[in-house]
Amino acid sequence: MTQSPHSHLIDLPDSALWSGISWMDFARLSARERSATIVVLPLFGFGDWGYGQPLDLEETLGTAVLRHALERPGKNGAHVLVMPPLRFVLGPYVHNVFGIDFETAMELVHEIASGVRAAGFRKLLLFTTSPWNEELADAAGRAMRVKLGIQAFRVSLAALGLDLHPTRSVDRGTVQAAACACYRRGPDAAALSVEAATLREFRPGNFEQPGPVPMRGTLEDSIAAGEKLLAAAGRKLAALCLEIIRRPALPNDGRIAARRPADSPRSASKKA
């Protein structure tokens, strides 16, 4: 695919960016090339997760994992095409910023998925970083399967070993190490001095402000540990992408055939 110079919308290689391909390049893609491509839509929110790092922590971590995954070339001609991140997603607590409501978020994801379908792609991976958007991705994936005939998949940062959930996470220190590796700096001491709100389990729970997570050991130790964690998460994501590409295409171009009255359970019971 021919690439054109442009300002990056996300810090990833040009060859993997949806925004780095011209409309003529899209037009030249064969059906086989499209079927061997996974389109990734990152869902990156903003918020203070208690790590004493900038509010773009989700995007910084998610992009780093994607970069590691893209460094592992796929087999059988598999290709990953990453869309510009959707940065306005669910943010139900005061520690989130720029959050939107569920209905608007669903409409946004559906609109983007419609464009992916119109461009001739059939496999869409929703990559979520915030635990508050995991169920949104599940619901959106089911809706686009029914309405658009898209084969939807969902991978969360938590499933790759970096869980931002304040109480579900087994070890929040792993995210702190990964954050240090991304920013090449330790947490802001002033931010870590904020007293944590009392946390209750999600559903619906109360996460007004996730508790502070201090850095373990020296900055150099944290960066080294974080780089290993990011690389491991990237390997997991690359393996999942390869598994997705090997999934057979949906029959009937994704269209769900209407059930005939004679095929319904009620009709069958009458015949019996």
Side-chain angles (χ1 to χ4, degrees):
M1 301 178 185
T2 304
Q3 304 297 323
S4 56
H6 66 288
S7 298
H8 283 192
L9 297 179
I10 185 172
D11 186 18
L12 291 174
D14 249 6
S15 59
L17 294 180
W18 177 287
S19 58
I21 300 174
S22 71
W23 66 269
M24 293 181 292
D25 292 320
F26 277 113
R28 294 190 191 104
L29 288 175
S30 66
R32 184 174 182 177
E33 288 176 308
R34 294 171 199 266
S35 65
T37 298
I38 305 169
V39 177
V40 178
L41 174 60
L43 305 179
F44 294 155
F46 294 91
D48 180 359
W49 292 94
Y51 293 96
Q53 299 287 6
L55 294 178
D56 66 350
L57 175 64
E58 288 186 43
E59 179 164 347
T60 301
L61 289 173
T63 302
V65 171
L66 279 168
R67 193 182 307 112
H68 279 286
L70 292 169
E71 289 174 354
R72 304 179 64 84
K75 299 178 182 179
N76 304 324
H79 186 66
V80 176
L81 201 55
V82 184
M83 304 195 75
L86 180 55
R87 298 179 174 93
F88 296 95
V89 289
L90 300 186
Y93 301 108
V94 295
H95 74 89
N96 301 120
V97 293
F98 311 127
I100 59 177
D101 61 273
F102 184 85
E103 290 76 13
T104 303
M106 281 287 286
E107 290 177 5
L108 276 172
V109 175
H110 179 82
E111 185 70 18
I112 294 171
S114 300
V116 172
R117 167 78 187 194
F121 300 97
R122 298 295 182 267
K123 291 183 178 180
L124 177 61
L125 173 62
L126 301 176
F127 178 37
T128 59
T129 48
S130 166
W132 316 141
N133 284 275
E134 291 172 5
E135 293 182 347
L136 166 70
D138 284 338
R142 288 191 293 270
M144 67 179 69
R145 167 67 184 94
V146 174
K147 297 179 180 179
L148 301 173
I150 282 184
Q151 200 168 5
F153 304 87
R154 193 263 292 174
V155 174
S156 68
L157 194 62
L160 302 177
L162 297 171
D163 192 354
L164 285 169
H165 197 290
T167 60
R168 181 185 67 185
S169 175
V170 177
D171 184 2
R172 296 182 69 206
T174 57
V175 174
Q176 183 62 279
C180 290
C182 288
Y183 291 109
R184 317 304 289 185
R185 48 156 280 187
D188 185 342
L192 295 183
S193 67
V194 178
E195 293 186 4
T198 300
L199 302 182
R200 297 190 293 273
E201 291 295 333
F202 188 53
R203 289 183 175 278
N206 177 26
F207 297 96
E208 293 184 356
Q209 177 56 54
V213 183
M215 185 177 61
R216 294 174 182 166
T218 66
L219 176 59
E220 291 74 17
D221 290 340
S222 292
I223 290 175
E227 288 176 342
K228 292 180 180 178
L229 290 164
L230 292 168
R235 288 193 297 270
K236 291 179 183 178
L237 181 56
L240 289 170
C241 286
L242 185 56
E243 181 181 334
I244 290 170
I245 217 65
R246 288 173 172 169
R247 290 280 186 95
L250 294 172
N252 301 317
D253 197 27
R255 291 185 294 273
I256 299 177
R259 173 180 281 181
R260 294 176 298 176
D263 295 332
S264 66
R266 183 175 296 180
S267 300
S269 63
K270 287 181 179 180
K271 290 180 182 179

